[in-house]
Amino acid sequence: MTRLLEVNQLKTYFKTDGGIVPSVNEISFYVNHGETLAIVGESGSGKSVTAMSVMGLVASPGKVVGGEIRFEGTDLLKLSGKQMRRLRGNEISIIFQEPMTSLNPVFTIGNQIGEVLRVHQGLSRQQSREKSVELLNRVGISGAAKVAQSFPHQLSGGMRQRVMIAIALACRPKLLIADEPTTALDVTIQSQILNLIETLSDEENTGVILITHDLGVVAEMADRVAVMYAGEIVEEASVYELFERPMHPYTIGLLGSLPKMNEQRERLDSIQGMVPNLLAMPDGCPFHPRCPYADSQCSKIKPKLEPRTAGRLVSCIRTEEVQA
């Protein structure tokens, strides 16, 4: 069976005055129909650039310089701009993390949803207006007819995010990318948005890439997790395995920084140091300057992302010592 999405050795670099920045450096992952893959990591790890690469939206001075992005067997990197525009917003959609900057302030909500339907599904203006109200109802917006006539600045943050979801789901995409979909929303609205994405994914058998730094969201939503650090995937596992027995020191550090129920601590654990400058990456393992398990070999040997158990990939030469 053909995977919905298969990314192989993807490289997305940015050309700057200081040199070439490898924001995404030879990463590989896949997503099946009806599956949610969470991509997690600190800010600057390459999560959003990965999403933009899949969507074909990497702007200059960035460029995808290598690898494959296969959607139902077709390499998206070999498609023309016109062919990608047919797919984008139709079979592949994205929910951006800040709806206020993604929605056009001078057009009504109904007009913006309707444009997607007219372009990709050939609906008339009347049909697209009716469908827009239907979609707003579907994502849980009350008074949908009135909201369709409103402008983005007249809506709350939670409502704008629901509008973004309505736009993303207008053409019933096969793949949905959610890039930090609950950023800056209160916890009640966060829960509603996540439940909405999960329900719609189940109903439509949609594959989801959930990009987040919130491990609580990952535990609730994901089937599998890919952990990114400095532009590379350092661990991939099922959500249960990752939380039950993390194998990479970076993953252990991320999970250790979470507050735990029924445990009182004056300070939460943290990962020492900073994400390395991508223009001056350390030799060996990129994480070794911050790793409590590192030895002299870690500064010399660049680990490969390799299988450890069935469905489990880890990039670390000291996995056995870490697990001891």
Side-chain angles (χ1 to χ4, degrees):
M1 180 179 175
T2 303
R3 297 193 190 279
L4 176 61
L5 180 75
E6 192 164 10
V7 175
N8 298 310
Q9 299 296 300
L10 175 65
K11 297 194 292 185
T12 303
Y13 292 176
F14 284 77
K15 187 176 182 180
T16 70
D17 292 339
I20 302 297
V21 178
S23 293
V24 174
N25 195 16
E26 297 188 353
I27 69 168
S28 300
F29 62 89
Y30 66 89
V31 182
N32 291 319
H33 290 271
E35 179 182 50
T36 296
L37 171 71
I39 301 180
V40 303
E42 295 169 280
S43 296
S45 61
K47 305 186 301 297
S48 292
V49 176
T50 298
M52 294 297 102
S53 300
V54 172
M55 294 295 295
L57 292 173
V58 177
S60 181
K63 185 179 181 181
V64 177
V65 297
E68 295 179 325
I69 303 174
R70 292 194 171 274
F71 178 72
E72 294 190 318
T74 300
D75 189 354
L76 301 183
L77 299 180
K78 294 181 179 179
L79 299 184
S80 66
K82 184 176 181 180
Q83 289 171 318
M84 266 308 294
R85 285 192 292 273
R86 287 185 189 140
L87 279 177
R88 193 187 302 124
N90 188 21
E91 296 190 58
I92 307 174
S93 290
I94 186 168
I95 304 169
F96 294 103
Q97 58 182 295
E98 180 40 66
M100 198 58 196
T101 59
S102 303
L103 293 170
N104 193 317
V106 300
F107 290 105
T108 64
I109 297 302
N111 191 300
Q112 295 186 60
I113 300 174
E115 181 182 15
V116 177
L117 297 165
R118 291 191 295 274
V119 169
H120 292 297
Q121 304 215 331
L123 299 189
S124 67
R125 288 194 172 275
Q126 179 61 32
Q127 289 172 323
S128 65
R129 278 195 292 268
E130 293 172 359
K131 185 67 174 178
S132 297
V133 173
E134 180 185 323
L135 284 163
L136 290 173
N137 276 315
R138 190 181 183 196
V139 298
I141 291 181
S142 59
K146 182 178 179 181
V147 170
Q149 298 174 19
S150 303
F151 291 90
H153 73 272
Q154 296 175 302
L155 307 182
S156 67
M159 289 179 72
R160 288 195 294 266
Q161 193 63 287
R162 287 174 188 268
V163 169
M164 287 298 300
I165 295 173
I167 293 173
L169 297 173
C171 298
R172 301 174 69 180
K174 297 176 181 178
L175 176 66
L176 175 66
I177 301 174
D179 187 2
E180 300 280 7
T182 57
T183 298
L185 301 179
D186 65 61
V187 290
T188 302
I189 301 299
Q190 281 185 31
S191 179
Q192 293 173 358
I193 295 295
L194 294 173
N195 288 338
L196 175 61
I197 294 172
E198 189 171 33
T199 299
L200 295 174
S201 172
D202 291 341
E203 290 177 353
E204 303 290 347
N205 199 33
T206 302
V208 177
I209 298 176
L210 175 64
I211 295 173
T212 183
H213 61 270
D214 189 333
L215 291 169
V217 170
V218 172
E220 180 182 347
M221 294 280 293
D223 298 303
R224 291 185 300 110
V225 187
V227 181
M228 286 193 73
Y229 182 77
E232 301 176 5
I233 292 177
V234 296
E235 183 165 6
E236 183 181 325
S238 72
V239 68
Y240 175 80
E241 288 180 321
L242 192 91
F243 278 82
E244 184 70 16
R245 192 164 67 97
M247 288 188 174
H248 195 281
Y250 179 60
T251 311
I252 293 171
L254 289 178
L255 293 175
S257 67
L258 294 175
K260 295 177 175 61
M261 294 288 288
N262 303 319
E263 181 177 310
Q264 293 185 346
R265 288 183 289 175
E266 290 186 5
R267 295 186 62 183
L268 296 175
D269 295 334
S270 63
I271 301 174
Q272 300 301 312
M274 300 289 290
V275 176
N277 182 348
L278 296 181
L279 287 170
M281 291 289 285
D283 293 332
C285 174
F287 187 61
H288 89 262
R290 307 174 69 189
C291 180
Y293 303 95
D295 63 13
S296 60
Q297 293 300 304
C298 296
S299 62
K300 301 173 184 175
I301 300 173
K302 178 69 182 294
K304 296 180 180 179
L305 189 65
E306 297 177 325
R308 292 296 192 272
T309 58
R312 187 71 171 268
L313 302 171
V314 184
S315 173
C316 179
I317 64 172
R318 306 202 68 228
T319 303
E320 293 182 5
E321 292 85 348
V322 170
Q323 292 296 300

